[in-house]
Amino acid sequence: MVKLAAMLRDLALPPRCPGCGEIVAAAHRFCAPCWSSLRFIGPPWCAACNRPFEHDRGEGARCASCLADPPAHAGVRAAIAYGPVARTVALRLKYARRTAYAETAARLMVRHLPAHVDVLIPVPLHRWRLWRRGYNQASLIADELSRLSSVAVDRTTLERHRATAPLRGHSRRARAQAVRAAFRTCGDGVRDRHVVLVDDVYTSGATTDACTAALLRAKARSVTILAWTRVLDDDQPA
């Protein structure tokens, strides 16, 4: 009966590619052209920030930026490099209420979860923005990651207590200044725990750096950032 219902549903509303809308074989699958256009991120990469290298530089190798200014976080992992399809999925999830795309993203992100993760924490929205949008896309992704990995989600320890203007179009320095004191923690839920901070798009790192600082002040053992897509030096966010 369940299989029959699923077949009837797919006939009436066939699954479509999250990137272009073409009909595909199953939900959360990309069509061949969209799939082939995705740039997956993985080793070899910088041991500190996980920025991909063109070739293997050896175990523990760091990029020039991390050698000059070591990050406080334990790495920035992302499923896909920023590009047209990754952007479409992120924008439709964030603004077009395509909440099922949280599972689409999580399915490709889960392979990057560190082996030692204790808890997933989504980057929080300010309460007014959450009220206007109706949901937090990072929290939806974290829920799907939790379902796929059985790692618990914590939505209460990290709080965005100060509203900030949208960061799009601002310089790296302006972004960092805007969010510097926007986050705080409540309680000791992350003390001595390895945290994975979940977000949809990693751009300059200003927001996640501010979150990381707050979590480390709360005595988190480590903070690894995990995003659906990451802007690299040769990518141009729109």
Side-chain angles (χ1 to χ4, degrees):
M1 184 63 69
V2 174
K3 288 185 177 180
L4 178 61
M7 290 174 60
L8 293 174
R9 180 199 62 207
D10 288 346
L11 285 172
L13 296 170
R16 294 184 177 274
C17 171
C20 68
E22 287 294 316
I23 294 176
V24 291
H28 310 293
R29 300 272 185 89
F30 291 88
C31 68
C34 286
W35 180 260
S36 63
S37 74
L38 296 176
R39 179 184 172 189
F40 291 90
I41 298 177
W45 54 22
C46 171
C49 73
N50 300 131
R51 182 177 294 278
F53 290 147
E54 291 184 2
H55 57 84
D56 192 348
R57 301 185 187 181
E59 186 177 354
R62 296 190 173 205
C63 66
S65 296
C66 290
L67 288 172
D69 185 18
H73 57 67
V76 180
R77 303 184 178 194
I80 307 293
Y82 191 86
V85 175
R87 179 180 65 241
T88 295
V89 172
L91 291 178
R92 288 178 176 173
L93 170 60
K94 190 171 184 176
Y95 298 118
R97 310 189 76 82
R98 303 288 185 89
T99 55
Y101 286 2
E103 181 178 348
T104 305
R107 287 185 176 199
L108 296 179
M109 293 165 63
V110 69
R111 67 191 177 98
H112 284 317
L113 277 176
H116 54 259
V117 57
D118 293 316
V119 64
L120 305 172
I121 295 185
V123 172
L125 293 178
H126 186 267
R127 63 182 180 277
W128 292 117
R129 187 167 294 176
L130 180 60
W131 179 79
R132 287 195 299 269
R133 187 175 299 166
Y135 60 92
N136 177 0
Q137 71 280 357
S139 185
L140 295 180
I141 294 172
D143 286 343
E144 293 298 334
L145 285 169
S146 178
R147 185 179 63 81
L148 293 169
S149 67
S150 299
V151 179
V153 180
D154 179 347
R155 298 181 191 81
T156 60
T157 295
L158 184 64
E159 176 188 6
R160 191 169 195 149
H161 68 100
R162 197 183 79 184
T164 56
L167 302 181
R168 187 181 304 168
H170 290 276
S171 68
R172 186 181 297 269
R173 178 176 294 182
R175 287 169 179 254
Q177 186 173 2
V179 297
R180 183 167 296 151
F183 299 93
R184 65 186 178 192
T185 56
C186 308
D188 60 354
V190 297
R191 179 181 290 272
D192 294 327
R193 307 187 82 188
H194 294 287
V195 174
V196 166
L197 184 66
V198 179
D199 207 358
D200 55 345
V201 181
Y202 181 89
T203 307
S204 69
T207 297
T208 51
D209 281 353
C211 291
T212 297
L215 291 167
L216 292 177
R217 286 195 298 270
K219 307 302 182 184
R221 182 168 295 183
S222 69
V223 179
T224 302
I225 299 152
L226 179 58
W228 154 241
T229 184
R230 174 178 184 170
V231 177
L232 300 174
D233 288 340
D234 54 349
D235 301 320
Q236 294 296 325

